[in-house]
Amino acid sequence: MKVIPSKILYIDLSRRRFWIEDRKELFEEWVGGSGVAIKLLEEECPKNANPLEPENPIIFAVGPFTGFYPIASKTVAMFKSPLTGNLGESHCGGRSALAIRMAGYGAIVIKGASETPVYLAIHGEKAYFREASAIWNMANSYTVGRILRDREPGAGARTIMRIGRAGEKLISYACVVTETYRHFGRLGLGAVFGSKKLKAIVVSGRRSLPLVDPKAYREIYKEIFTLLVESPSMKKYHELGTSMNVNPLNELKALPTRNLKEANFDEAEKISGESFAKDFLGRRLACAHCPVSCIHLAALRMPYDSEPYFYKTKMISYDYETIYSLGSMIGIGNPKELLKLLDEVEALGLDAISTGVALAWATEAQEKGLISINETNGLNLKWGDAETYLKAIRFLVNQVNDFYKALGKGIEYASNIYGGKEFALAFGGNEMPGYHTGLAAHLGFLIGSRHSHLDCAGYSIDQKIVATGKKSTIEELTEELINEEAWRQILSSLVICFFARGIYKPELIIKAFKPLGMEFTEDSLKKIGRKILKAKYEFKVREGFKLNKLRIPERIFQTSAPAGEILKESIAKALSLAEEKLTNLP
């Protein structure tokens, strides 16, 4: 007996019907998570589909370790991205993965589009199409979550995914907020929800999972749990979260600042993880089945506008990427002002990284005279001016004029119209993450499936180069980046949080499979990882993606990086090598 997820819930929003299929062979061959999701995307998404038309499916997939082992807590979402026009992939924690598995599913496929606002309530084997007109146009994702918590059963074993105003307005980098403070953040899943008139999805279930070998399971579970709670790196995630990276990257001169005109922020200490922990930390949270609790919430005391001496306390999530994008990238050094910006993008349902990078590009474009107050709707965007940025975010989400409509499609699109390509920091159409460490980081953004720092972790290679002084050849570097991404396909198919990648090594994963009745070798796992990576690359190529046509922002060559000078010819050579390697993956 093999204990693997096998059932897929199919939902057709156009016809308001659902059905369940058993696809055991799919999970046996492609594991789960990213592996199963890319195959389902291939099956369900027609070539050249418009990302905002009903033909674009949404796939959610979990893995065989979900519900069994700690920190296998992510759900993978796949769709065609309205931001890049090719592969959309986003991972989210919270209770999403556990709820989907306990409802009895390994994956959920959502097709079609509703004519009127709707939200889905999936409780075990039943799916309900609920009228959502009353919560459509409700801008604040917090409020939508509170309403659905009261309305739907399954508290404690339930996930609530929903969009804010940004998703309804089809902003290309709108996110899906899950359980509040967790997100399918990148590449515009929120806009795809909005295009389907899908305001939210609630999933709950209380199934139990069988085991092939309970004794062996208890032993390996204890081993994994102990490694997680005693690991020094996990302890750091618990204490400070990813915001612990602000000070080290700033000292390294790798923290993108003011649209990467600089890589060192003179106010970094004030928005560092240490300062937030000391002055604002109100609570730590964990995703379901995670002993680490890396989610950090700041408590911000704010006065009521109309009642003097009365205050409300808002809990606001922060981490490294959001501190970078809405902090140093636009020159915000005041932690209270930064928290207000984070709260606004959370409420409206925007991806914080893309939003911050878009504001940074717009600020420099206005500095250089490419746009004026005619385009910004009367705003003078200035580094560090949080109040003006708050207004700009609202104009952006409300799409008040052609400029904000263009900005809502990403800076690749906006810079085509208004200029400023050389400082439009997007890679493959996706706005830049917060690492200017060197060649490996930027190369990773370019060749990675999602154009994210999470694909190949090039920033980590750069930091090793800085520490040791040992540089690789372009051939070695390209090989290392692709090998890392291929292995991460296994982790994301098991839906293991990448924070635990140093613990879930091949030998541990092989041991963990055995109580579930499954046998793998390190070679067989790596072979599957390469196969998944190739499938993703082929999907992108099918949709018109070409590595050798990627635009490389000039700004990365102009601002010094700690791992050494970044040369155009090095990137060109690496892209050529990557194209050959990805095309010929076995």
Side-chain angles (χ1 to χ4, degrees):
M1 181 179 75
K2 294 177 181 176
V3 185
I4 56 172
S6 64
K7 290 185 178 176
I8 298 175
L9 173 65
Y10 289 86
I11 291 172
D12 184 340
L13 288 171
S14 300
R15 295 177 176 81
R16 300 214 171 188
R17 59 184 287 262
F18 70 93
W19 66 98
I20 298 166
E21 292 184 15
D22 196 310
R23 301 283 304 273
K24 187 178 179 183
E25 81 294 341
L26 189 65
F27 287 85
E28 285 181 330
E29 184 177 354
W30 295 89
V31 183
S34 292
V36 165
I38 186 61
K39 296 310 290 180
L40 289 171
L41 189 66
E42 279 178 13
E43 289 178 13
E44 300 293 341
C45 184
K47 186 178 179 182
N48 298 324
N50 183 328
L52 298 178
E53 291 293 331
E55 59 199 3
N56 187 18
I58 297 170
I59 318 286
F60 293 108
V62 300
F65 285 4
T66 303
F68 283 112
Y69 295 115
I71 221 163
S73 51
K74 296 284 187 179
T75 298
V76 171
M78 274 200 199
F79 48 98
K80 187 169 177 182
S81 167
L83 184 63
T84 65
N86 53 67
L87 179 68
E89 180 182 354
S90 194
H91 303 176
C92 181
R95 288 189 292 275
S96 58
L98 203 61
I100 291 171
R101 185 87 196 261
M102 292 301 111
Y105 306 111
I108 298 173
V109 177
I110 300 170
K111 308 197 288 188
S114 176
E115 291 185 359
T116 57
V118 66
Y119 80 88
L120 287 170
I122 301 165
H123 298 296
E125 294 184 347
K126 298 287 186 184
Y128 303 90
F129 299 82
R130 312 272 204 216
E131 163 64 29
S133 296
I135 53 174
W136 196 262
N137 287 325
M138 194 172 280
N140 193 318
S141 67
Y142 292 109
T143 310
V144 175
R146 278 198 296 272
I147 290 169
L148 296 182
R149 276 198 294 276
D150 290 341
R151 188 179 170 91
E152 292 294 333
R158 175 185 63 191
T159 186
I160 301 175
M161 312 172 188
R162 69 275 192 184
I163 58 172
R165 175 67 58 80
E168 294 178 7
K169 290 286 189 179
L170 309 183
I171 305 295
S172 293
Y173 40 92
C175 73
V176 172
V177 179
T178 301
E179 273 75 81
T180 312
Y181 314 125
R182 295 294 87 193
H183 315 89
F184 292 98
R186 307 233 65 195
L187 296 173
L189 181 61
V192 183
F193 265 52
S195 72
K196 295 179 180 301
K197 288 278 192 293
L198 179 60
K199 183 67 178 181
I201 304 175
V202 181
V203 185
S204 74
R206 292 188 178 275
R207 296 168 69 93
S208 60
L209 301 172
L211 279 166
V212 173
D213 187 343
K215 182 173 181 295
Y217 169 71
R218 284 194 294 272
E219 288 172 359
I220 185 66
Y221 186 97
K222 184 178 179 183
E223 181 180 345
I224 294 170
F225 186 86
T226 304
L227 286 169
L228 285 169
V229 297
E230 293 184 356
S231 157
S233 64
M234 290 299 178
K235 186 169 184 290
K236 202 75 173 173
Y237 282 126
H238 175 71
E239 289 172 346
L240 294 176
T242 57
S243 61
M244 65 182 166
N245 292 323
V246 174
N247 276 336
L249 284 168
N250 192 52
E251 288 164 14
L252 202 58
K253 294 185 169 50
L255 177 65
T257 300
R258 300 182 187 90
N259 205 33
L260 194 56
K261 293 204 284 189
E262 307 138 74
N264 177 260
F265 186 38
D266 52 6
E267 297 185 272
E269 174 60 35
K270 292 193 289 184
I271 55 171
S272 66
E274 291 82 352
S275 293
F276 271 114
K278 179 167 68 72
D279 298 327
F280 296 98
L281 181 60
R283 194 178 172 195
R284 293 182 180 87
L285 296 176
C287 295
H289 209 165
C290 174
V292 178
S293 299
C294 75
I295 306 165
H296 287 63
L297 304 183
L300 182 63
R301 192 163 172 258
M302 301 169 74
Y304 285 98
D305 293 336
S306 56
E307 296 183 82
Y309 310 113
F310 284 84
Y311 297 85
K312 56 187 172 185
T313 300
K314 299 201 79 170
M315 306 301 286
I316 301 166
S317 166
Y318 63 90
D319 60 30
Y320 171 70
E321 291 294 346
T322 58
I323 289 174
Y324 136 74
S325 58
L326 289 164
S328 65
M329 195 62 166
I330 53 175
I332 302 292
N334 182 319
K336 289 185 179 179
E337 300 302 318
L338 171 54
L339 287 171
K340 290 177 187 174
L341 289 168
L342 295 180
D343 188 49
E344 190 71 12
V345 298
E346 175 90 17
L348 295 171
L350 284 163
D351 172 34
I353 298 178
S354 285
T355 304
V357 176
L359 291 174
W361 171 82
T363 305
E364 188 165 350
Q366 193 168 17
E367 273 186 345
K368 290 183 172 1
L370 299 176
I371 58 173
S372 69
I373 57 171
N374 293 328
E375 281 76 29
T376 61
N377 205 28
L379 300 181
N380 279 310
L381 299 170
K382 291 180 182 172
W383 308 116
D385 183 353
E387 282 302 314
T388 302
Y389 285 130
L390 273 173
K391 292 176 185 171
I393 289 169
R394 289 163 193 156
F395 289 158
L396 167 69
V397 168
N398 289 318
Q399 301 277 273
V400 296
N401 63 19
D402 287 344
F403 172 73
Y404 287 104
K405 286 176 184 171
L407 199 60
K409 293 180 179 177
I411 57 171
E412 193 71 50
Y413 182 90
S415 61
N416 276 335
I417 298 172
Y418 297 96
K421 278 277 178 204
E422 65 277 17
F423 55 84
L425 289 157
F427 294 78
N430 194 17
E431 280 74 20
M432 174 187 172
Y435 302 87
H436 184 58
T437 48
L439 173 62
H442 292 293
L443 200 50
F445 304 158
L446 287 164
I447 70 174
S449 301
R450 294 179 284 166
H451 305 290
S452 155
H453 63 295
L454 295 170
D455 290 325
C456 317
Y459 63 90
S460 177
I461 297 173
D462 286 330
Q463 286 172 293
K464 286 177 193 164
I465 291 170
V466 173
T468 64
K470 286 177 63 179
K471 286 197 174 185
S472 306
T473 65
I474 292 299
E475 289 81 0
E476 291 168 338
L477 182 58
T478 308
E479 181 83 17
E480 188 174 357
L481 290 167
I482 290 176
N483 285 343
E484 176 66 24
E485 189 176 9
W487 174 246
R488 288 182 178 220
Q489 304 312 309
I490 291 299
L491 296 177
S492 62
S493 295
L494 296 168
V495 298
I496 290 168
C497 176
F498 286 170
F499 289 171
R501 61 188 179 278
I503 289 168
Y504 275 95
K505 293 177 179 173
E507 56 271 24
L508 188 68
I509 291 172
I510 292 165
K511 279 172 69 176
F513 263 122
K514 288 183 178 173
L516 310 184
M518 299 182 76
E519 297 278 348
F520 289 96
T521 64
E522 183 170 342
D523 282 346
S524 67
L525 286 173
K526 287 184 174 175
K527 187 176 176 184
I528 295 170
R530 290 193 293 272
K531 193 166 73 166
I532 296 168
L533 181 57
K534 185 173 186 178
K536 287 185 181 179
Y537 179 67
E538 287 177 344
F539 179 85
K540 293 177 70 170
V541 171
R542 190 194 86 172
E543 298 301 317
F545 175 76
K546 292 180 181 176
L547 268 171
N548 61 9
K549 297 292 184 187
L550 283 174
R551 182 184 67 84
I552 304 163
E554 284 289 322
R555 177 59 48 82
I556 68 169
F557 305 115
Q558 297 164 348
T559 301
S560 297
E565 189 179 6
I566 301 170
L567 300 173
K568 290 180 186 177
E569 49 269 35
S570 298
I571 290 186
K573 185 175 180 182
L575 290 180
S576 176
L577 286 167
E579 185 174 22
E580 183 183 344
K581 287 179 182 298
L582 290 167
T583 302
N584 296 307
L585 276 170

